[in-house]
């Protein structure tokens, strides 16, 4: 077979992971998770055990995920900032891929991140692509590509051994399977890890309440963590329809009930495996002055469908994945030509610059 797969860990192993990480700090807030001491009455203990079982199932599904896959994510993001008249709309694409490896690590990882802010009069203004490839867990090549209306497409290339500071817009590598739990700020900071998930959702002492829907098709568990200073209440709804994976995750400040983030996920089943298909999120910054709404669609290639090896192009790796995902992507020169044509239509193109193309 082309791929090797991550093996399903035993419950004993997962329990050991939980015990190990619970002594550490939660990366969701500045303080470690603190037990609430609220476990409910004896008759609710079986529901609490079920919630724990579903949380363990999510982690097992993550651990058992194929070690070679590619995922293309397209997002429409609206950012509303207080005292700013118009919201900012951004189209963002991300490509995350793993090469086959052993049960502990992939042979290579790739993350390509690009965004196009949408401004008045222009549908395409400033595409930026940040490509990062790691081979055997070591940095191999990094490209930072940026095109503007007045400068040619620039490429900064870094070879093995260099680990330059990421550009301001770079998002940390994350496994797309964690998106049902991941806030925007956590994706930027790289905090979406198994250790963080385990420290919260495999800690039975953090469960404050468990509720069934009337038709008993969903089970919602409320976790309280973050310590005394900034307690967070996270309500996770597990759905029977989707093999008891989380379909709604809601984060709020416990003291005020103010929204931190709410994340809704729909799944598709492929080859016997449930995969996140659409993820919608609303989140609020710590200051409360910035609201972000996003709609993300995920397209997966797993095992035999995924790339046979790391992209070997010395130009634009996005084009390598465009073929795999059968997307109609422009190459950089055509893309820039299109940008100039559009800019001319709104009366802003420099004819001298345009003639040089």
């Amino acid at each position: 077979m082309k791929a090797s797969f991550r093996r399903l860990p035993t419950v004993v192993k997962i329990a050991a992971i939980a015990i190990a990480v619970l002594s550490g700090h939660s990366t969701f807030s500045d303080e470690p998770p603190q037990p609430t001491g609220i476990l409910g009455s004896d008759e609710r203990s079986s529901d609490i055990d079920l919630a724990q079982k579903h949380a363990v199932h999510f982690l097992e599904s993550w651990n058992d995920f194929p070690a070679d896959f590619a995922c293309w994510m397209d997002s429409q993001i609206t950012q509303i900032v207080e005292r700013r008249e118009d919201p900012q709309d951004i189209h963002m694409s991300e490509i995350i891929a793993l090469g086959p490896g052993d049960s502990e690590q992939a042979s290579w990882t790739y993350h390509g991140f690009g965004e196009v802010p949408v401004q008045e009069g222009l549908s395409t203004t400033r595409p930026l692509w940040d490509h990062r490839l790691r081979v055997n867990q070591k940095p191999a090549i990094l490209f930072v590509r940026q095109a503007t209306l007045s400068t040619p497409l620039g490429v900064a290339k870094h070879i093995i051994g260099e680990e330059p500071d990421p550009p301001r817009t770079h998002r940390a590598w994350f496994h797309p399977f964690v998106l049902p739990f991941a806030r925007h700020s956590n994706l930027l900071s790289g905090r979406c890890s198994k250790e963080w998930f385990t420290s919260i959702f495999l800690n039975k002492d953090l469960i404050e309440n468990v509720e069934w829907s009337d038709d008993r098709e969903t089970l919602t568990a409320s976790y309280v963590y973050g310590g005394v200073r900034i307690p967070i209440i996270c309500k996770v709804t597990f759905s029977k329809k989707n093999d008891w994976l989380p379909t709604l995750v809601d984060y709020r400040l416990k003291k005020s009930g103010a929204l931190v983030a709410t994340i809704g996920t729909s799944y598709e089943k492929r080859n016997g495996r449930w995969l996140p298909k659409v993820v919608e999120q609303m989140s609020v910054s710590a200051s409360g002055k910035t609201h972000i709404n996003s709609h993300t669609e995920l397209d997966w290639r797993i095992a035999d469908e995924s790339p046979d090896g790391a992209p070997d192009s010395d130009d634009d790796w996005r084009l390598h994945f465009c073929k795999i995902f059968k997307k109609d992507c422009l190459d950089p020169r055509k893309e820039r030509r299109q940008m100039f044509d559009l800019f001319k239509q709104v009366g802003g193109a420099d004819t001298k610059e345009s003639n040089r193309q």
Side-chain angles (χ1 to χ4, degrees):
M1 292 180 62
K2 181 174 82 73
S4 62
F5 294 85
R6 300 185 190 277
R7 298 300 179 191
L8 191 69
T10 64
V11 174
V12 174
K13 287 183 179 179
I14 289 181
I17 294 173
I19 292 171
V21 299
L22 287 177
S23 61
H25 289 256
S26 165
T27 54
F28 201 89
S29 70
D30 294 330
E31 298 183 31
Q34 298 293 326
T36 64
I38 305 173
L39 295 180
S41 59
D42 291 341
E43 60 267 25
R44 298 188 65 80
S45 62
S46 61
D47 288 345
I48 292 173
D49 289 341
L50 274 176
Q52 287 298 97
K53 178 180 177 181
H54 299 329
V56 168
H57 172 57
F58 175 81
L59 186 60
E60 288 180 338
S61 298
W62 187 356
N63 285 343
D64 190 40
F65 213 87
D68 64 336
F69 73 83
C71 183
W72 186 301
M73 293 169 284
D74 281 317
S75 300
Q76 290 296 135
I77 300 173
T78 300
Q79 181 171 286
I80 303 169
V81 182
E82 188 178 295
R83 297 182 181 177
R84 184 176 294 176
E85 184 174 346
D86 297 320
Q88 183 182 34
D89 293 322
I90 298 174
H91 171 76
M92 182 170 64
S93 294
E94 287 178 90
I95 308 166
I96 292 180
L98 268 69
D102 59 28
S103 61
E104 298 299 325
Q105 63 183 17
S107 61
W108 58 270
T109 60
Y110 168 78
H111 186 189
F113 164 75
E115 64 176 11
V116 181
V118 178
Q119 297 176 0
E120 184 177 357
L122 292 176
S123 62
T124 304
T125 60
R126 185 177 172 269
L128 179 147
W129 277 88
D130 176 23
H131 303 264
R132 289 173 180 262
L133 176 68
R134 299 176 70 91
V135 177
N136 295 326
Q137 305 302 306
K138 295 181 180 180
I141 300 175
L142 173 143
F143 282 113
V144 179
R145 309 180 54 83
Q146 181 173 327
T148 68
L149 291 173
S150 59
T151 60
L153 192 66
V155 179
K157 183 175 180 180
H158 302 269
I159 308 300
I160 293 175
E162 299 184 21
E163 190 74 75
D165 293 333
R168 181 178 59 86
T169 53
H170 175 69
R171 304 225 305 187
W173 193 96
F174 62 92
H175 197 300
F177 190 74
V178 80
L179 281 181
F181 280 93
R183 295 195 312 160
H184 287 298
S185 59
N186 283 35
L187 295 177
L188 288 168
S189 62
R191 293 174 176 174
C192 299
S193 66
K194 293 177 184 176
E195 289 75 17
W196 176 79
F197 175 86
T198 305
S199 71
I200 303 298
F201 301 105
L202 266 66
N203 186 350
K204 190 174 182 177
D205 287 346
L206 298 182
I207 297 180
E208 181 182 64
N209 189 35
V210 179
E211 296 180 355
W212 283 96
S213 61
D214 291 341
D215 58 7
R216 296 186 72 83
E217 292 292 308
T218 63
L219 178 68
T220 301
S222 299
Y223 300 81
V224 179
Y225 64 94
V228 176
R229 192 169 71 86
I230 310 178
I232 299 286
I233 183 165
C234 177
K235 294 185 177 181
V236 183
T237 298
F238 300 98
S239 171
K240 180 180 179 180
K241 178 182 177 181
N242 301 116
D243 194 30
W244 296 108
L245 291 171
T247 53
L248 182 64
V249 178
D250 186 87
Y251 297 96
R252 294 181 183 270
L253 298 179
K254 181 172 174 57
K255 291 180 179 179
S256 65
L259 175 69
V260 175
T262 184
I263 307 166
T265 304
S266 62
Y267 295 83
E268 65 172 347
K269 193 172 186 179
R270 289 178 50 186
N271 299 326
R273 181 181 298 279
W274 288 95
L275 303 171
K277 180 63 176 176
V278 177
V279 179
E280 296 189 84
Q281 179 172 167
M282 294 186 297
S283 63
V284 182
S285 66
S287 66
K289 296 181 180 181
T290 301
H291 296 244
I292 300 175
N293 300 333
S294 67
H295 175 95
T296 301
E297 297 184 1
L298 296 86
D299 191 6
W300 297 84
R301 299 291 185 270
I302 294 178
D304 290 341
E305 300 173 332
S306 66
D308 290 323
D312 56 5
S313 170
D314 61 356
D315 188 14
D316 191 344
W317 294 336
R318 179 188 53 158
L319 301 180
H320 173 83
F321 289 99
C322 289
K323 296 177 182 178
I324 294 171
F325 285 93
K326 299 180 180 179
K327 289 185 176 288
D328 184 18
C329 302
L330 293 173
D331 91 8
R333 285 167 295 187
K334 291 181 179 179
E335 194 168 52
R336 187 163 180 259
R337 175 74 260 174
Q338 188 180 74
M339 290 166 60
F340 269 101
D341 291 343
L342 180 64
F343 201 39
K344 281 167 53 179
Q345 292 176 18
V346 297
D350 183 333
T351 55
K352 291 182 179 179
E353 175 66 26
S354 181
N355 291 334
R356 288 198 292 269
Q357 304 307 306

